Amino acid sequence: MTAPLLFDPNAQAEARARARATGMFLQELACAEIIERLKAVNRQFKSVTIVTGFPESWSIAFPSAKLVPDEDLLELSPGQHDLVIHAMALHHCNDPIGQVVQCGRALKPDGLFMGVCFGGQTLTELRSALSIAETDLRGGLSPRITPMAEIRELGALLQRAGLALPVADSLKIPTSYCDIYHLMRDLRDMGETNIMTARQKTFTCKSLFDRAQEVFAAEFPSDGGRIACTFDLVFLSGWAPHASQPKALKPGSVTKSLQQALEEAKSSLGN
């Protein structure tokens, strides 16, 4: 039996079709952060592919890269690339593990995988305000915001995909909005509206959002009467295994404790 899809591909296509250039600021920020991380690697990549649902935002920074849609089955050939970037799409994948595995298989030995997506702290304020409002007015909850993975869970994808030297870090982006409607317009312009299969598909009355705005303003105020909202970007990196990479020591091979090493270092500095 096939497991039900968490995300609706038709709803995703419609959401992305409504996206606007003015809503691509987080895509652009993610792209700039990836470029800075690549500078630290200090290597020239000759065969780059980018998995993204927003190719326009990434093609400018990587004009020679192959752009691949973030579909369930990625258009990647095994062992063909020295850099694969999964760009702002893992949080809306029905099978994120499978996505990273496919990217890893597309790498040449010692090739680099990099990923960026929204993490678990994204829109926590909006999630809380909507939950309280819906409980107050309806006595229950509807799936309105994507359940996004925490950094530890996303980092574990790298190891499960068999990538070496895995690293995961996050960037919190505090923002403020005039009101909840301003925030929801931004999410629409980003192409990041609710695409969950189990989402409520009937019209939502304005009173729910008005109540959520009251909660938002009371619980998460910002300067000037605005409301505070957090976006959380998680960055992932891992390498296709290669003999030249550092290897972890075998269990039991350590000959001295950390305390002994520190005492020896302190002694040598004293001398």
Side-chain angles (χ1 to χ4, degrees):
M1 181 184 300
T2 303
L5 298 179
L6 179 60
F7 301 111
D8 181 346
N10 294 325
Q12 183 178 63
E14 293 172 0
R16 289 176 174 177
R18 291 192 296 267
R20 303 174 61 187
T22 54
M24 294 296 104
F25 58 94
L26 288 178
Q27 293 279 344
E28 293 165 1
L29 174 60
C31 183
E33 288 289 328
I34 287 287
I35 290 172
E36 286 301 309
R37 284 163 168 76
L38 287 173
K39 289 178 181 177
V41 175
N42 193 28
R43 180 184 295 190
Q44 293 295 321
F45 295 99
K46 299 178 181 179
S47 180
V48 181
T49 190
I50 302 175
V51 179
T52 176
F54 297 93
E56 297 84 0
S57 299
W58 292 82
S59 60
I60 296 175
F62 297 90
S64 60
K66 176 183 178 181
L67 300 175
V68 174
D70 58 323
E71 300 169 344
D72 289 343
L73 183 60
L74 300 176
E75 297 176 8
L76 297 173
S77 300
Q80 295 298 307
H81 302 281
D82 53 13
L83 173 62
V84 175
I85 301 172
H86 206 294
M88 295 292 285
L90 279 173
H91 58 280
H92 276 163
C93 287
N94 285 300
D95 182 14
I97 297 174
Q99 291 280 300
V100 180
V101 168
Q102 290 180 73
C103 290
R105 289 175 178 169
L107 290 170
K108 299 177 181 179
D110 205 32
L112 175 62
F113 167 80
M114 299 194 78
V116 55
C117 64
F118 287 122
Q121 301 306 303
T122 297
L123 300 177
T124 54
E125 302 90 349
L126 178 61
R127 192 189 309 274
S128 177
L130 286 173
S131 297
I132 293 172
E134 196 158 26
T135 301
D136 289 348
L137 297 180
R138 299 180 175 180
L141 298 177
S142 300
R144 296 187 178 275
I145 299 178
T146 297
M148 300 175 194
E150 298 292 342
I151 184 172
R152 179 178 298 179
E153 298 165 329
L154 290 167
L157 297 180
L158 300 170
Q159 293 179 312
R160 295 185 67 175
L163 295 171
L165 308 175
V167 176
D169 67 281
S170 66
L171 174 64
K172 301 292 191 303
I173 306 167
T175 62
S176 67
Y177 287 88
C178 298
D179 53 35
I180 193 173
Y181 299 103
H182 182 198
L183 170 57
M184 290 192 295
R185 284 194 298 272
D186 247 9
L187 293 175
R188 180 192 60 200
D189 291 347
M190 294 178 196
E192 295 290 349
T193 49
N194 187 359
I195 64 168
M196 286 186 286
T197 303
R199 71 192 183 283
Q200 180 179 322
K201 299 179 177 67
T202 57
F203 179 76
T204 300
C205 60
K206 186 174 181 294
S207 60
L208 174 64
F209 298 116
D210 288 341
R211 174 58 183 144
Q213 167 60 25
E214 294 174 359
V215 175
F216 223 137
E219 298 294 331
F220 308 105
S222 186
D223 295 337
R226 296 166 68 88
I227 57 175
C229 182
T230 303
F231 291 97
D232 176 23
L233 294 183
V234 175
F235 295 86
L236 307 171
S237 66
W239 296 83
H242 189 264
S244 65
Q245 294 167 351
K247 300 293 190 299
L249 293 175
K250 295 181 180 179
S253 62
V254 177
T255 59
K256 63 180 68 175
S257 68
L258 176 60
Q259 181 178 356
Q260 290 174 320
L262 291 174
E263 289 175 351
E264 290 179 4
K266 183 178 180 181
S267 176
S268 63
L269 288 174
N271 295 332

